[in-house]
Amino acid sequence: MDFELDRDLLDVQERARELASAVAPIAAEVDSRSQLDGRIRDQLAESQLARLTVPAEFGGATAQVDPLAICIVREQLAGECNQLDALFALQGIGSYSITLAGSSEQRETWLPRVASLDAIAALAITEPHAGSDVRSMTSTAHTDVDEWTIQGDKAFISNVGVADFYATLVRERDHLSLFLVAADAPRLSFTASPELIAPHVLGDLTLAGVPITAANRIGEAGRGLEYVGATLSVFRASVGAAAVGVAQRALDIAVAHVRTRRQFGKPLAEQPAVGALLADSWAEIEMARLLVYQAAWLARGDPIGALARTSMAKFAATEIAGRVVDRCVQVMGRFGLIRNSPIERLYRQARPMRIYEGATEVLRGVVARALIKEAGLGL
Ligand SMILES: Cc1cc2nc3c(=O)[nH]c(=O)nc-3n(C[C@H](O)[C@H](O)[C@H](O)COP(=O)(O)OP(=O)(O)OC[C@H]3O[C@@H](n4cnc5c(N)ncnc54)[C@H](O)[C@@H]3O)c2cc1C
């Protein structure tokens, strides 16, 4: 067993750290708005880290998208700038179905542009009435008529308004299929989603009879949910990695504060109760990091087979991040509550992570089912 990252991954980590430091001076300003900041896009493009989100054959950095490399980058970026982390991750999340099942034309047209950030990707699943229960979606591709169209509404979709294409999951007869909808498609319109506690580039899509052809379909008819599942199996652990980055940054800030802040004649750090909160946080961060790295490593070889592990890593790490930032705010007292201070931003940033890409309770169900199935098979 080797707990060291190899040279290539250490190099990726260092480049991600440098990128995070480069955006640090503008991070608070960027994360106070839900519009994409051009400087973030430019810095990410310049770093070439988005090349990790597509395979080498189409301008990517590694032969196949490497879940562990994605985790290592997100851990560094998320602790500094929410928008930077999201932009990086969504290049992969929005394009992976094309990597996996797209036609040669789709791959050649879009993947090199995703890698270089000339094009921004998005994945549109959620609808006003269909969140965790994806199968209840009502957006429909009408492909049994002469002119094919998509009709429906998508809500809370990352990168709406700035994306160049949307991998869009819709009902097609009795199954769900994925279609590639270009941002300039006729009868496709955008509205902003409500502003979140941690602003995010987010919006709603209205597909009012958007014209499509067979060339828009990603992979085979009726296999859309499978492609989305494959996407999540590669990227789910990386939400856990982003959560580790957020928690680590919060702990670093809290430690710096309690070492210098004096009450009752000594630094807060010397109050045993404060030390206990910090020790619990450190231990939980280390647990989360190991779990995330292990899950991502397993997903490298067999993403679908590792789904229980990546789901576990996602919910455990995001729940830990929630607890850690809360403790960090607590030990900083009133200074932890100042709006737009680094610690307050992390406190808000940690919260949505427990909901998107599989809410904790939904993922616990995935893990419990895998546990019971494994036990049953062992009998
Ligand atoms: C910042 C952000 C970015 C997003 N980006 C995208 C995007 O790019 N593309 C996209 O398609 N969607 C996106 N979403 C939507 C996201 O995927 C949904 O919020 C998520 O799927 C949960 O759905 P919901 O919010 O409708 O919650 P609901 O499905 O209404 O669930 C609410 C709560 O009920 C509980 N619950 C639900 N189902 C179960 C169950 N089976 N068992 C136990 N408990 C359950 C959980 O506690 C859950 O948190 C984004 C959301 C956010 C906040």
Side-chain angles (χ1 to χ4, degrees), residues 90 93 122-128 130-134 154-159 196 198 200-202 352 354-362 365:
L90 283 155
I93 293 167
L123 177 63
I125 303 172
T126 306
E127 299 188 353
S132 308
D133 183 9
V134 171
K154 296 287 176 185
F156 270 62
I157 308 303
S158 299
N159 284 346
L196 301 190
H200 188 93
V201 182
L202 204 62
R354 292 157 57 196
I355 293 176
Y356 60 67
E357 277 190 57
T360 292
E361 296 71 22
V362 174

Side-chain angles (χ1 to χ4, degrees), residues 67 71 232-242 292 295-296 299 310-311 313-314:
C71 281
L232 296 179
S233 68
V234 169
F235 290 93
R236 186 163 271 161
S238 77
V239 185
V292 164
T310 50
S311 300
K314 193 271 180 183

Side-chain angles (χ1 to χ4, degrees), residues 49 52 68 96 132 167 189 211 218 227 240 272 282 335 347 350 356 361:
L49 285 168
L52 288 164
L68 187 52
Y96 193 73
S132 308
S189 57
I218 300 174
Y227 304 142
W282 188 17
F335 304 101
Y347 182 77
Y356 60 67
E361 296 71 22

Side-chain angles (χ1 to χ4, degrees), residues 189-339:
S189 57
F190 315 118
T191 43
S193 297
E195 184 97 312
L196 301 190
I197 54 171
H200 188 93
V201 182
L202 204 62
D204 296 356
L205 291 178
T206 303
L207 301 111
V210 171
I212 48 164
T213 68
N216 292 85
R217 186 185 275 118
I218 300 174
E220 292 173 30
R223 294 183 65 187
L225 208 48
E226 190 187 314
Y227 304 142
V228 168
T231 299
L232 296 179
S233 68
V234 169
F235 290 93
R236 186 163 271 161
S238 77
V239 185
V244 169
V246 165
Q248 183 66 62
R249 181 78 204 287
L251 185 61
D252 294 346
I253 293 168
V255 167
H257 180 85
V258 300
R259 285 179 67 220
T260 50
R261 167 91 180 148
R262 295 176 72 86
Q263 289 294 285
F264 302 100
K266 57 186 177 186
L268 280 176
E270 290 176 25
Q271 296 289 351
V274 169
L277 288 173
L278 298 179
D280 283 352
S281 298
W282 188 17
E284 286 199 287
I285 291 170
E286 294 296 335
M287 288 191 284
R289 186 180 285 114
L290 286 173
L291 188 60
V292 164
Y293 281 24
Q294 186 207 38
W297 179 77
L298 289 168
R300 261 180 159 179
D302 179 9
I304 300 288
L307 196 56
R309 290 304 182 121
T310 50
S311 300
M312 187 190 299
K314 193 271 180 183
F315 87 70
T318 56
E319 291 293 324
I320 283 172
R323 287 198 292 274
V324 168
V325 289
D326 189 69
R327 288 186 200 120
C328 292
V329 166
Q330 190 68 16
V331 299
M332 291 178 69
R334 68 194 131 106
F335 304 101
L337 303 173
I338 296 169
R339 191 132 185 88

